């Protein structure tokens, strides 16, 4: 079913305690406010927003790492459960590895955590897609930041999941690495996989995404196709900056409708 939803957020809200002085409770900060979004099977969905907009929090909720205060999340058609996590390839914003393991050992360990075993051939095959196969014996502590970022993507791919949730997969990558990631995401889509990724790189959004979600101050400003987002085909950065300037930071009360936004 081409239009089947694989991830659905319905009116999800999340607050965190504001604790700048540990002895004083200073109330709660709304981090996500009534977020609804839908990821459809087989698409690449770009999740865009300024620093602190709520992208990583949304992804953590999708992965069951953070619990929402209110609202519902459905993953692959039902409430998230630990078995579903095996059907997801997740690469976090700040991947953390054991320094004393090699890349190959890191991959084996990642597979084992998900209840799989991965042989050397499979590991080499996946590392090759991220151009890391010549460094598979190297210790992770000898990996550069960009290599670690790519290793996190490789670990997410190892079990050939149907859904990928990637938090800024291209951050810290050089132009060749970014090209690799773009090719990889296209390739995953061509195999029928679904990809949800957060990013600040609007050119990647333009080149890759079937649909886009824009989050601002914890509220969804927009969800739709690039054409809906940018009907006049203007510079995407201009369109994005205009859209996020619509709502001043402190006075945000409700998300304007799509049509109002696209006509700004
Ligand atoms: N564990 C936490 N406790 C308190 N506040 C938090 C916590 N995690 C995130 N926040 C706050 O939630 C808001 C959203 O953070 P989040 O990490 O989701 O943003 P983001 O869109 O991923 O930003 P970036 O582009 O910088 O990665 C920020 O104001 C942040 O300070
Ligand atoms: Mg983030």
């Amino acid at each position: 079913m081409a239009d089947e939803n694989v991830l659905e957020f319905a009116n999800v809200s999340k607050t965190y305690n504001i604790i700048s002085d540990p002895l004083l409770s200073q109330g709660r900060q709304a981090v996500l406010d009534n977020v609804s979004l839908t990821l459809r099977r087989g698409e690449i969905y770009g999740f865009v927003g300024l620093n602190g907009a709520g992208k990583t929090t949304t992804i953590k909720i999708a992965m069951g790492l953070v619990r929402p205060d209110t609202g519902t999340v459905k993953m692959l058609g039902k409430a998230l459960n630990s078995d579903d996590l095996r059907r997801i390839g997740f690469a976090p914003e700040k991947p953390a590895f054991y320094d004393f393991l090699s890349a190959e050992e890191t991959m084996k360990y990642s597979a084992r955590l998900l209840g799989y075993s991965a042989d050397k051939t499979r590991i080499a095959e996946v590392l090759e897609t991220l151009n890391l196969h010549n460094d598979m014996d190297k210790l992770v502590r000898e990996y550069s930041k960009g290599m670690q970022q790519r290793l996190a993507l490789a670990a997410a791919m190892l079990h050939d999941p149907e859904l990928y949730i990637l938090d800024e997969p291209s951050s810290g990558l050089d132009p060749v690495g970014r090209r690799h990631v773009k090719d990889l995401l296209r390739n995953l889509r061509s195999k029928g996989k679904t990809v949800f990724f957060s990013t600040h790189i609007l050119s990647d959004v333009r080149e890759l995404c079937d649909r886009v979600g824009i989050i601002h101050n914890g509220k969804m400003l927009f969800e739709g196709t690039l054409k809906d987002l940018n009907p006049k085909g203007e510079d995407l950065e201009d369109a994005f900056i205009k859209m996020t300037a619509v709502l001043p930071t402190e006075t945000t009360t409700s998300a304007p409708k799509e049509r109002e936004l696209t006509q700004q």
Side-chain angles (χ1 to χ4, degrees):
M1 283 185 286
D3 59 354
E4 187 191 341
N5 296 334
V6 296
L7 174 65
E8 275 182 276
F9 271 53
N11 306 111
V12 169
S13 295
K14 175 73 190 170
T15 54
Y16 279 120
N17 277 328
I18 301 170
I19 314 170
S20 37
D21 179 333
L23 297 176
L24 291 176
S25 168
Q26 299 183 353
R28 290 180 76 80
Q29 174 198 5
V31 172
L32 297 185
D33 185 358
N34 256 320
V35 167
S36 297
L37 62 83
T38 304
L39 175 67
R40 297 178 188 151
R41 186 170 295 280
E43 73 179 359
I44 299 181
Y45 185 119
F47 195 42
V48 186
L50 302 177
N51 292 134
K55 301 179 298 298
T56 296
T57 305
T58 302
I59 286 175
K60 284 181 178 168
I61 288 175
M63 294 303 301
L65 300 171
V66 165
R67 208 180 273 270
D69 298 342
T70 54
T72 56
V73 179
K74 273 193 191 168
M75 179 72 83
L76 299 162
K78 47 188 168 46
L80 188 68
N81 69 56
S82 50
D83 286 340
D84 287 335
L85 294 178
R86 295 179 191 184
R87 298 163 68 190
I88 302 167
F90 171 53
E93 186 174 35
K94 294 179 203 147
F97 300 109
Y98 290 110
D99 281 350
F100 53 85
L101 295 183
S102 69
E104 183 189 349
E105 288 164 341
T106 301
M107 295 285 273
K108 275 193 178 144
Y109 179 68
S110 301
R112 207 169 294 164
L113 283 178
L114 286 169
Y116 291 85
S117 64
D119 63 23
K120 192 163 184 151
T121 313
R122 172 67 185 154
I123 290 173
E125 179 189 59
V126 173
L127 287 177
E128 190 166 4
T129 60
L130 277 308
N131 205 19
L132 290 172
H133 51 299
N134 293 327
D135 298 298
M136 70 190 270
D137 297 327
K138 239 187 191 176
L139 295 184
V140 170
R141 70 161 174 253
E142 294 164 4
Y143 265 42
S144 72
K145 183 175 77 167
M147 288 166 82
Q148 292 198 13
Q149 192 78 16
R150 282 184 280 143
L151 185 60
L153 288 174
M157 292 176 65
L158 200 53
H159 55 303
D160 192 29
E162 62 192 86
L163 165 62
Y164 285 82
I165 297 192
L166 311 172
D167 200 351
E168 296 196 42
S170 290
S171 85
L173 298 190
D174 63 27
V176 175
R178 274 174 55 187
R179 171 66 63 84
H180 259 100
V181 170
K182 278 192 278 190
D183 290 346
L184 176 72
L185 300 193
R186 284 195 194 99
N187 193 20
L188 290 172
R189 176 174 52 195
S190 73
K191 290 181 179 157
K193 312 289 186 187
T194 308
V195 180
F196 180 92
F197 76 109
S198 71
T199 187
H200 293 292
I201 306 169
L202 296 177
S203 57
D204 285 0
V205 171
R206 193 181 53 238
E207 286 175 48
L208 289 172
C209 294
D210 300 296
R211 290 193 314 128
V212 185
I214 296 184
I215 186 165
H216 188 57
N217 293 332
K219 292 174 192 289
M220 288 300 284
L221 279 189
F222 172 86
E223 184 178 65
T225 63
L226 274 174
K227 198 146 198 246
D228 292 338
L229 170 64
N230 191 12
K232 295 177 194 155
E234 63 184 316
D235 182 79
L236 196 55
E237 192 173 80
D238 286 347
F240 174 74
I241 288 172
K242 234 184 249 181
M243 185 175 285
T244 51
V246 167
L247 298 176
T249 310
E250 282 83 19
T251 55
T252 304
T253 51
S254 63
K257 294 194 175 63
E258 260 174 46
R259 192 169 298 111
E260 290 166 1
L261 289 163
T262 54
Q263 286 175 351
Q264 294 294 316

